[in-house]
Amino acid sequence: MSIEFLKKIFYENSQKDAIIFDDIKLNYSFLLEKIEFFKEIIKSNNINSKDVVGIIGDFSPNSVSLLLSLIENKSIIVPISINDKNLEFKLNEIAKVNYIFKFNEDEKFTISCPKNNSTEINFYNIIRKRNNPGLVLFSSGTSGEPKAAVHDFTKLLEKFKVRRKSLITINFLLFDHWGGLNTMLHILSNAGTLVVALNRSPDTICQLIEKNGVELLPSSPSFLNMLILSNSYKRFNLKSLKIISYGTEPMPKTTLEKLSKIFPNTLLQQTYGLIELGVMRTKSESNGSLWLKIGGEGYSYRIKNGLLEIKADSAMIGYLNAPSPFTDDGWYMTGDQVETKGEYLKILGRKSEIINVGGDKVYPQEVENIILQIKNIADATVYGEKNPILGSIVCCKVSLIKKEEKKAVRERIKSFCDTRLEKFKVPVKVEIVNNLNIGQRLKKKR
């Protein structure tokens, strides 16, 4: 069975805290009971290994237990965040689910059965022939329609058979995000404790860290910037934190430098993962550095024309609604432009986000990092706008820490950038907004 190795760990650690949910500590014995409970629910609803099952919810004792039961049942699982505006489109039009479990905030759930036919989806049939569980993950859709990646779940689970050190960890990243599922499986496979966040505001997260002695906070750069601006870290005791890991989007150098000063005794670790491949093992050059090593068991990489390509044992089978992103010899084309320094890489940004100004390349992250150094700037998003003469021009949206006259802000930004950037990189248009567009997964929408 796919989760026998997990259940063995749960039995061996039956009295240890597995999940802390709404201030209630639940041990591994409870988790085993819940897995058996959902096995009966699955059986009584005639859900078999060929069925595609959607789970609408967030991390909770019930949703985690159901997910593990469905893996054991060898179903194809489609996790969706409860607040996802496109959930019906994703579940029915793209994933063609046969059953939907929907959880509310009180842990209660309903089961519905959409009339979808999933028998003709070739990627599903590959998994069914292998008699393995499957997983469908959607991209965030920050730069277009979300893509649905189909995985053989057995391959993703393989790395969790290697025992590693486990820390008391907040499951910050979402239930429909591989980063969130990866955190959950890592913690449970090492008999650690998962602290569930009922909401992801800076104050709530800091309160949970203080109350539960949280040692690891997996997060996004956008959230960490919010944490700094909110001053939440000053209102709570966060000394238990051993590691803050960050990924899902590029980290501004300015934000990283601020974090290094605020958390001098905490390891700041950059992660690298993709819904198409899983999460790779990484090592940051130092706390204040954006250079990192990537790899680990089952992963290798190469760089072609400055772009990162990865080969992984845990790679997806393919997209349900997009062309194959693999080369003919099986390398996944990430689209990430990189620099190299010996064994270390630096992610410069997605090729698709590069702004072409009269033939010159502009990386949005480079300009954003300069703007974030300016007084009273809370956050910035740089983007390109079409121009009949230059092809594109550089534009930016900024939010402010305190209200200020817009003309003065625009002049200060252009003046500051003029002395630190080449002329073609300086924003032509500057828009001041109340809040930047941060998506549901707490990263910038570009």
Side-chain angles (χ1 to χ4, degrees):
M1 289 291 184
S2 297
I3 64 163
E4 279 307 309
F5 76 99
L6 286 174
K7 290 171 78 173
K8 183 174 183 291
I9 293 164
F10 299 172
Y11 280 117
E12 291 170 353
N13 297 275
S14 61
Q15 299 310 306
K16 282 189 69 176
D17 292 336
I19 299 174
I20 299 176
F21 178 76
D22 202 14
D23 291 336
I24 301 169
K25 293 182 178 181
L26 305 166
N27 61 25
Y28 279 94
S29 179
F30 173 87
L31 191 56
L32 284 165
E33 289 172 11
K34 274 289 180 181
I35 291 169
E36 291 304 309
F37 168 79
F38 278 108
K39 280 177 70 175
E40 290 302 313
I41 296 291
I42 290 166
K43 185 178 178 181
S44 64
N45 282 275
N46 298 314
I47 301 171
N48 62 45
S49 61
K50 295 182 179 180
D51 288 320
V52 185
V53 184
I55 308 176
I56 301 171
D58 200 347
F59 288 103
S60 70
N62 273 346
S63 62
V64 169
S65 303
L66 172 62
L67 179 77
L68 294 172
S69 297
L70 286 168
I71 294 172
E72 193 167 32
N73 194 54
K74 299 182 180 178
S75 299
I76 297 168
I77 306 159
V78 189
I80 297 288
S81 174
I82 197 164
N83 297 315
D84 196 322
K85 294 176 183 176
N86 295 316
L87 64 88
E88 287 188 20
F89 174 71
K90 289 176 178 178
L91 289 170
N92 295 323
E93 295 299 316
I94 301 175
K96 304 294 184 188
V97 298
N98 306 118
Y99 295 86
I100 298 172
F101 285 78
K102 185 173 183 178
F103 290 91
N104 63 20
E105 293 177 355
D106 298 323
E107 282 276 74
K108 293 177 182 176
F109 62 91
T110 57
I111 305 173
S112 58
C113 308
K115 293 180 180 179
N116 289 318
N117 181 7
S118 65
T119 59
E120 296 179 359
I121 298 177
N122 289 333
F123 293 149
Y124 289 171
N125 290 333
I126 290 170
I127 295 167
R128 288 163 178 152
K129 284 178 184 176
R130 294 175 182 172
N131 197 29
N132 286 340
L135 178 68
V136 180
L137 294 170
F138 285 90
S139 66
S140 60
T142 53
S143 55
E145 182 179 304
K147 290 179 281 194
V150 180
H151 283 272
D152 181 330
F153 216 147
T154 302
K155 292 189 175 185
L156 289 169
L157 288 170
E158 195 63 33
K159 75 170 187 176
F160 300 105
K161 293 178 181 178
V162 179
R163 298 295 294 270
R164 303 192 189 280
K165 187 177 180 181
S166 182
L167 303 172
I168 301 171
T169 304
I170 288 183
N171 229 129
F172 177 85
L173 301 171
L174 296 186
F175 185 64
D176 60 351
H177 186 289
W178 178 244
L181 293 173
N182 181 78
T183 299
M184 178 202 81
L185 289 165
H186 171 76
I187 300 307
L188 297 182
S189 66
N190 290 287
T193 302
L194 203 64
V195 180
V196 175
L198 297 180
N199 76 67
R200 291 166 174 84
S201 69
D203 268 12
T204 298
I205 296 300
C206 290
Q207 187 179 42
L208 286 172
I209 294 169
E210 179 183 87
K211 195 173 212 176
N212 300 290
V214 170
E215 298 166 300
L216 169 60
L217 171 62
S219 188
S220 68
S222 288
F223 173 79
L224 293 170
N225 187 46
M226 288 165 56
L227 182 72
I228 294 167
L229 293 169
S230 69
N231 286 317
S232 296
Y233 65 91
K234 294 178 179 177
R235 294 191 286 273
F236 298 91
N237 183 349
L238 308 184
K239 288 182 180 178
S240 63
L241 273 181
K242 295 179 179 177
I243 303 172
I244 296 174
S245 62
Y246 59 90
T248 76
E249 63 180 344
M251 167 68 87
K253 179 75 172 171
T254 307
T255 304
L256 188 58
E257 288 170 352
K258 289 177 183 176
L259 286 168
S260 297
K261 291 176 182 176
I262 294 168
F263 299 100
N265 300 314
T266 302
L267 176 66
L268 304 177
Q269 183 176 4
Q270 186 175 179
T271 60
Y272 189 79
L274 299 154
I275 66 158
E276 296 86 354
L277 306 175
V279 177
M280 305 173 72
R281 297 192 72 190
T282 62
K283 182 181 179 181
S284 296
E285 185 183 39
S286 66
N287 257 19
S289 174
L290 292 172
W291 292 94
L292 79 161
K293 291 180 183 178
I294 62 172
E297 302 89 345
Y299 289 96
S300 53
Y301 74 87
R302 69 185 185 188
I303 297 164
K304 294 192 75 174
N305 302 316
L307 296 172
L308 181 63
E309 296 183 355
I310 297 172
K311 187 172 279 190
D313 294 344
S314 58
M316 68 172 184
I317 301 171
Y319 291 130
L320 288 177
N321 58 340
S324 171
F326 295 99
T327 62
D328 292 339
D329 54 348
W331 292 81
Y332 174 74
M333 297 178 284
T334 68
D336 283 328
Q337 198 94 28
V338 297
E339 281 183 11
T340 59
K341 184 175 70 174
E343 293 180 286
Y344 288 93
L345 304 176
K346 185 195 281 185
I347 313 295
L348 300 176
R350 286 287 165 97
K351 182 183 178 183
S352 59
E353 293 170 359
I354 293 172
I355 305 163
N356 192 318
V357 182
D360 291 310
K361 291 180 180 179
V362 180
Y363 293 96
Q365 288 79 16
E366 179 189 3
V367 182
E368 287 168 3
N369 189 56
I370 297 297
I371 295 171
L372 287 171
Q373 297 173 36
I374 300 170
K375 181 183 175 183
N376 199 34
I377 299 296
D379 207 351
T381 300
V382 170
Y383 60 97
E385 193 173 284
K386 296 220 178 276
N387 179 274
I389 299 170
L390 296 171
S392 296
I393 55 171
V394 178
C395 306
C396 72
K397 292 181 180 179
V398 298
S399 58
L400 306 179
I401 298 170
K402 295 178 181 178
K403 284 188 178 181
E404 188 181 348
E405 205 261 319
K406 291 183 178 181
K407 185 180 178 183
V409 176
R410 292 190 182 101
E411 288 176 354
R412 192 164 68 251
I413 288 172
K414 291 188 178 184
S415 174
F416 192 87
C417 290
D418 269 332
T419 61
R420 290 161 178 81
L421 292 168
E422 295 163 275
K423 190 173 181 179
F424 65 88
K425 296 179 181 178
V426 177
V428 176
K429 290 185 179 180
V430 177
E431 183 182 353
I432 291 90
V433 296
N434 292 330
N435 293 293
L436 287 187
N437 197 0
I438 305 297
Q440 186 182 330
R441 291 180 177 174
L442 290 170
K443 65 179 186 177
K444 286 182 187 177
K445 285 191 173 182
R446 294 190 177 277

